[in-house]
Amino acid sequence: MDTLYISPSAEYELTKYCESNLLVEVIEHFAANAVIITRDSDSQPSRWWVITDYIKDNTIDCRKKLSVILSFAAIGGFVQIGDRMAVGDVDVLCMLKETNNISEEDFDFFIDAFFNFSQGNGVKFS
């Protein structure tokens, strides 16, 4: 079963990349068919997201879902699909591409977005 392990500090760090309304929408959508385990501290695991089934879910806009998943990776969260795992926005993007879970257009969009974030020019995902 897909599971998100997250701490309050990780939730707060996500706001660096995503507007609060987007975070709420995606996390609530994920929680409808998966498990969220909140850690009170940064004890392990506190930044781990298993998205094996969720990545294939098409009942939410793909870019919204990917914005939050990739932002989670960007704050040092591990993202797992099946038996593959990656951390960091670029590595997770590559994993998504290699597993055919992201279109070429979306891949390019997120490469540009995270490059802009790294240059201090990014606008939060909304």
Side-chain angles (χ1 to χ4, degrees):
M1 172 170 260
D2 287 356
T3 307
L4 170 61
Y5 297 90
I6 193 163
S7 67
S9 63
E11 287 182 60
Y12 176 75
E13 285 180 61
L14 284 172
T15 62
K16 175 180 178 182
Y17 297 101
C18 299
E19 296 290 344
S20 295
N21 60 338
L22 174 63
L23 292 171
V24 169
E25 180 181 354
V26 172
I27 299 298
E28 285 181 356
H29 184 262
F30 178 80
N33 295 306
V35 175
I36 297 177
I37 299 172
T38 303
R39 300 290 190 190
D40 291 334
S41 67
D42 284 326
S43 61
Q44 296 299 325
S46 63
R47 293 176 190 228
W48 195 288
W49 201 349
V50 180
I51 59 168
T52 305
D53 295 324
Y54 188 61
I55 196 63
K56 294 173 178 81
D57 185 315
N58 62 2
T59 61
I60 189 170
D61 179 82
C62 183
R63 282 200 181 168
K64 287 182 177 183
K65 175 175 57 175
L66 290 172
S67 295
V68 176
I69 291 168
L70 292 168
S71 296
F72 184 79
I75 65 162
F78 292 88
V79 177
Q80 181 176 342
I81 301 171
D83 61 352
R84 296 190 62 174
M85 181 202 46
V87 65
D89 50 349
V90 174
D91 287 342
V92 172
L93 264 167
C94 290
M95 179 176 67
L96 290 167
K97 187 174 182 182
E98 291 166 5
T99 58
N100 297 313
N101 286 301
I102 191 170
S103 70
E104 193 68 38
E105 182 181 331
D106 286 342
F107 180 83
D108 292 342
F109 170 83
F110 285 108
I111 288 289
D112 289 343
F114 281 98
F115 175 77
N116 286 330
F117 282 134
S118 73
Q119 300 299 306
N121 301 323
V123 176
K124 288 184 183 183
F125 297 117
S126 57

